Amino acid sequence: MIRVDDYQERRKHWYDPIRQEGIFTWDWFYGQEYALADLHSISPQFRAELATATEALGQVFARVAEVTRQGNEQLFAELGLPRETWQAVRITLDPELPTVIGRFDFALTPEGLKMLEFNSDTPTGVVEAFYVNGKICEQGGMEDPNAGMDQHIRQAFSTAVHSYRKRGFSCDGIFFSALGWHEEDAGTTRYLMENSTLPARFVPLEDLRVKGDRMTARWEGEEVPIDVLYRLHALEILAEDTDRDGYPTGAHVLDLVAREKLLLINPPSALISQTKALQALIWNLYEEDQFLTPGERETVETYMLPTYLENRFLGKEPHVIKPIFGREGGAVRLCDAQGRVEHRDSDRLYENQPMIYQKRVELETVETETLKGPFQGRLLWGSFLVGGKASAILARADGPITGNLSYFLPVGYS
C-alpha cells in the first residue's frame, strides 16, 4: 500500500487502475466527480445491524408481496402498478423471496436505522459495492466489509435459473441487457453477468426484438431466441415503451412474460415490492394489527417509517412526499409540518406519478474530501438483499435529498 496525502494524486492513484480494468469506468458522472478517494470508517456492529435489518425487512416484504401478488386488479391499481403489468406481476420465482437482487436504502437516525425505500426491481450501485469498495479498502489499508459477497450473486442467479429449469422451462438462451449507450447501466449489467457465471451473453436493449410469441436478440448477424432475460430496465418504464411507429412493444413483452414465453430476472413480481405504495400497505397492516406476526410487527416498528397514500402529517409533523416509482431522489419534496417545501429535487421526471407521504427523518451528517474541497453532507446507506441474504453495503453522500449526482463514498473497518 502506498499512502498519498494529496487528494487529487490519491484519487488518480486509486481510480486510474480500476478504470483501466474496464469494470468500473463511471467514477465521473456528467463531468462531475462521483467516486470519492476517501474512506468512511464503520464498526462491525453497525455492519451487523444493517444485515439484520435487511434480512428482517426482506422477509416482511416477501410475505406481504406474495399475498398482494394473488390479489385483485383493484389492489394493483391502488398500488400504482401500470395496467400493462397486472398479469405479469403474478409471475414469481420463489414466494419466499421478494426479488433475486434488490437494495434497501436506510437512514441512520437518532432512533436507529430507518428504511426509506426498497429498490427491488432494477437496483444499481452493484459494482461500487461488490467490487470497487474492496479495491479502495485495499489501497487505503482498511478491511472491506463486503469481502467475498460477490459469491452471493453467483448463488442467487444460479438458483433462479435452476428454479426455472425445475419447473420445466427451457433456459438455453440466457441474455443480460441494458441500454448499450448508458455506461453505468451497461457496466452494471455486464458485471452481474460475469459474476453470475451463467452461460449468458450481453446484448444492448436496442438489439432486442419481439415478434409473435418470442423475444430475440440480434447476435452476430442472427436473431437468437431468448429464454431468460436479466434486464436493467424498469418494468413500469417497459410498460410504456413503444417502437418508432407507435406499436406498444413494452405491452407485447409483458404479455410474453405473463404467458411465461419469456422468463425474467429479477422476476416480474419484484415490481410489487418496488412501488413505495407497498410500504404504505405494510404500515397500514402494522397500525391495524393485521396479518403480520409479532416478529414482523417488531421489524416494522423498528426499521420502517409511518407511510401513507394520503397526507396524514399536515399540520402535525414534518414529512416527505415521494413518487411511488421515483428513483435517485427524483421529484422528492421535504416539507415542514405545515406542508411548506423546504427542499425539492429538481428532476421532474416522476412528478406526475401518484405520491406517498412518509415521516421525515434527518440523515446523519458526514464530512469527506472531494476534488472541490471539503464536503459536508448527509449519508444514505444502501444494503443489498441477494437471494434472500443480506449482502454488500453502499454509502452515498449528498445534500438533504440523495439525488442522481450524489457521491459514492467507500467504507471500511478501521
Side-chain angles (χ1 to χ4, degrees), residues 159-344:
T159 299
V161 171
H162 177 73
S163 296
Y164 279 136
R165 282 202 177 104
K166 196 173 179 181
R167 288 160 55 185
F169 294 110
S170 171
C171 297
D172 294 334
I174 305 175
F175 284 83
F176 282 59
S177 188
L179 288 169
W181 57 264
H182 196 288
E183 192 173 14
E184 180 193 10
D185 285 5
T188 298
T189 302
R190 289 181 185 275
Y191 179 82
L192 285 170
M193 181 180 72
E194 293 298 328
N195 281 273
S196 75
T197 69
L198 294 171
R201 290 167 277 187
F202 174 85
V203 62
L205 286 173
E206 307 92 277
D207 289 344
L208 298 180
R209 301 289 183 271
V210 59
K211 184 177 181 180
D213 278 351
R214 292 309 301 256
M215 172 178 274
T216 61
R218 185 177 295 278
W219 184 263
E220 296 180 346
E222 298 183 4
E223 297 293 333
V224 181
I226 298 176
D227 296 311
V228 181
L229 178 69
Y230 170 84
R231 36 87 219 173
L232 193 56
H233 188 55
L235 286 192
E236 79 276 6
I237 296 175
L238 175 64
E240 300 177 355
D241 283 350
T242 59
D243 67 12
R244 294 177 182 176
D245 298 323
Y247 180 76
T249 53
H252 190 156
V253 172
L254 287 165
D255 176 64
L256 297 185
V257 171
R259 292 188 290 118
E260 299 184 297
K261 301 294 185 180
L262 175 67
L263 310 174
L264 295 184
I265 303 174
N266 282 313
S269 58
L271 187 66
I272 295 172
S273 294
Q274 178 75 37
T275 170
K276 297 178 185 67
L278 193 75
Q279 294 182 53
L281 174 58
I282 292 172
W283 190 259
N284 178 259
L285 293 172
Y286 166 76
E287 286 193 325
E288 298 296 326
D289 195 9
Q290 295 178 347
F291 183 70
L292 301 175
T293 67
E296 291 167 341
R297 285 180 51 78
E298 183 179 357
T299 294
V300 172
E301 181 178 15
T302 303
Y303 298 118
M304 291 187 68
L305 292 166
T307 306
Y308 304 99
L309 295 177
E310 64 281 333
N311 196 344
R312 298 189 186 180
F313 302 103
L314 202 58
K316 298 176 182 178
E317 57 184 323
H319 52 279
V320 184
I321 304 175
K322 300 178 180 180
I324 60 171
F325 284 117
R327 287 172 167 79
E328 306 293 349
V332 168
R333 287 168 281 168
L334 306 186
C335 304
D336 66 12
Q338 304 309 313
R340 291 184 289 262
V341 177
E342 296 183 336
H343 301 280
R344 179 195 299 267

Side-chain angles (χ1 to χ4, degrees), residues 85-152:
T85 69
W86 287 357
Q87 296 307 311
V89 296
R90 297 190 185 277
I91 306 300
T92 192
L93 260 170
D94 184 341
E96 296 184 0
L97 299 179
T99 189
V100 173
I101 179 168
R103 191 193 75 234
F104 284 105
D105 285 342
F106 291 96
L108 180 58
T109 76
E111 292 77 39
L113 283 172
K114 296 296 179 182
M115 188 269 295
L116 304 182
E117 58 188 67
F118 185 27
N119 302 283
S120 58
D121 186 37
T122 53
T124 55
V126 173
V127 185
E128 294 90 318
F130 287 86
Y131 179 73
V132 182
N133 199 82
K135 291 285 188 179
I136 299 304
C137 282
E138 183 180 333
Q139 292 285 353
M142 298 180 78
E143 184 182 349
D144 178 20
N146 299 333
M149 292 185 177
D150 51 355
Q151 67 178 322
H152 295 165

Side-chain angles (χ1 to χ4, degrees), residues 350-397:
Y350 308 105
E351 65 180 9
N352 292 325
Q353 292 184 3
M355 300 288 168
I356 57 105
Y357 304 84
Q358 191 175 72
K359 180 180 177 180
R360 180 175 168 182
V361 293
E362 298 297 327
L363 281 65
E364 65 181 302
T365 58
V366 64
E367 292 187 13
T368 183
E369 293 182 80
T370 75
L371 286 172
K372 295 179 180 178
F375 173 78
Q376 184 173 30
R378 303 281 179 168
L379 202 55
L380 181 73
W381 292 97
S383 182
F384 283 89
L385 181 75
V386 184
K389 298 177 182 177
S391 195
I393 62 173
L394 174 78
R396 289 179 290 160

